[in-house]
Amino acid sequence: DAMVIQNPRYQVTQFGKPVTLSCSQTLNHNVMYWYQQKSSQAPKLLFHYYDKDFNNEADTPDNFQSRRPNTSFCFLDIRSPGLGDAAMYLCATSPGQPYQPQHFGDGTRLSIL
Amino acid sequence: SQQGEEDPQALSIQEGENATMNCSYKTSINNLQWYRQNSGRGLVHLILIRSNEREKHSGRLRVTLDTSKKSSSLLITASRAADTASYFCATPRNTDKLIFGTGTRLQVFP
């Protein structure tokens, strides 16, 4: 089945130690998104790629960066994680056309020690 | 913030009862979407309703949209324990972005 896969499901890192989360898709969608979701809150969009075009949200901290080396893969890099970065990180894809839903992976739960 | 508001924030019902959750949004839209999120999982798309539609059904789900009031409702009929999840409405900000509402946490007791 076509899907969005996030690895790992759980990630533990130390305060200030860089961490990379990965996402892959078999849907061949143009758009890939990264969301941060804290407990009992709505997902918050960090940035997205339309093909190779990177779109950063205005309030996304500089600590968060992303790479999309090809259509299938997208990475979220957190350069110096702080305690406030502990959250669920969700990857999603969409065809990038009107009236099309987004397809989500199961997320990576990031903990900071 | 352009984020939509949902109410109630939390809802507890018995199996077999109906569950209704409401969503209000702030800007003009061409469609509104509902998603479900099981605990510790990603979001799953449930239903999309276009701005020229007033009501849409999918299985036990019924969605209404009132663009004059900028509001939508999701009705789950004959709830099951497996319906326990958080439910989010989402509205497009442009072609390729969504703004999610604050969510309703639904608990269905057997």
Side-chain angles (χ1 to χ4, degrees), chain B residues 20-23 32 34 62-65 71-75:
Chain B
T20 299
M21 48 206 90
N22 304 294
C23 167
L32 184 142
W34 285 90
R62 172 179 165 249
V63 167
T64 61
L65 179 64
S71 67
S72 175
S73 67
L74 170 67
L75 168 67

Side-chain angles (χ1 to χ4, degrees), chain A residues 33 35 93-94 97-104, chain B residues 6 23 25 29-36 43-50 63-65 72-74 87-101:
Chain A
Y33 308 82
Y35 290 89
T93 72
S94 83
Q97 296 160 9
Y99 308 108
Q100 295 296 318
Q102 293 186 10
H103 299 256
F104 284 78
Chain B
E6 291 184 58
C23 167
Y25 57 91
I29 58 171
N30 61 15
N31 74 87
L32 184 142
Q33 302 176 30
W34 285 90
Y35 289 79
R36 183 187 75 234
L43 281 74
V44 175
H45 178 256
L46 294 176
I47 198 164
L48 182 152
I49 185 166
R50 298 191 179 206
V63 167
T64 61
L65 179 64
S72 175
S73 67
L74 170 67
Y87 292 81
F88 293 92
C89 65
T91 53
R93 188 157 64 186
N94 51 37
T95 302
D96 52 3
K97 289 188 197 179
L98 290 175
I99 300 175
F100 286 90

Side-chain angles (χ1 to χ4, degrees), chain A residues 36-47:
Chain A
Q36 180 192 64
Q37 187 180 29
K38 296 190 175 180
S39 182
S40 301
Q41 295 184 18
K44 178 180 180 295
L45 182 64
L46 296 173
F47 25 58

Side-chain angles (χ1 to χ4, degrees), chain B residues 13-19 60-61 75-83 108:
Chain B
I13 58 174
Q14 297 289 133
E15 265 192 331
E17 294 181 338
N18 295 341
R60 294 184 296 111
L61 306 181
L75 168 67
I76 305 174
T77 60
S79 296
R80 305 166 182 169
D83 295 326
V108 182

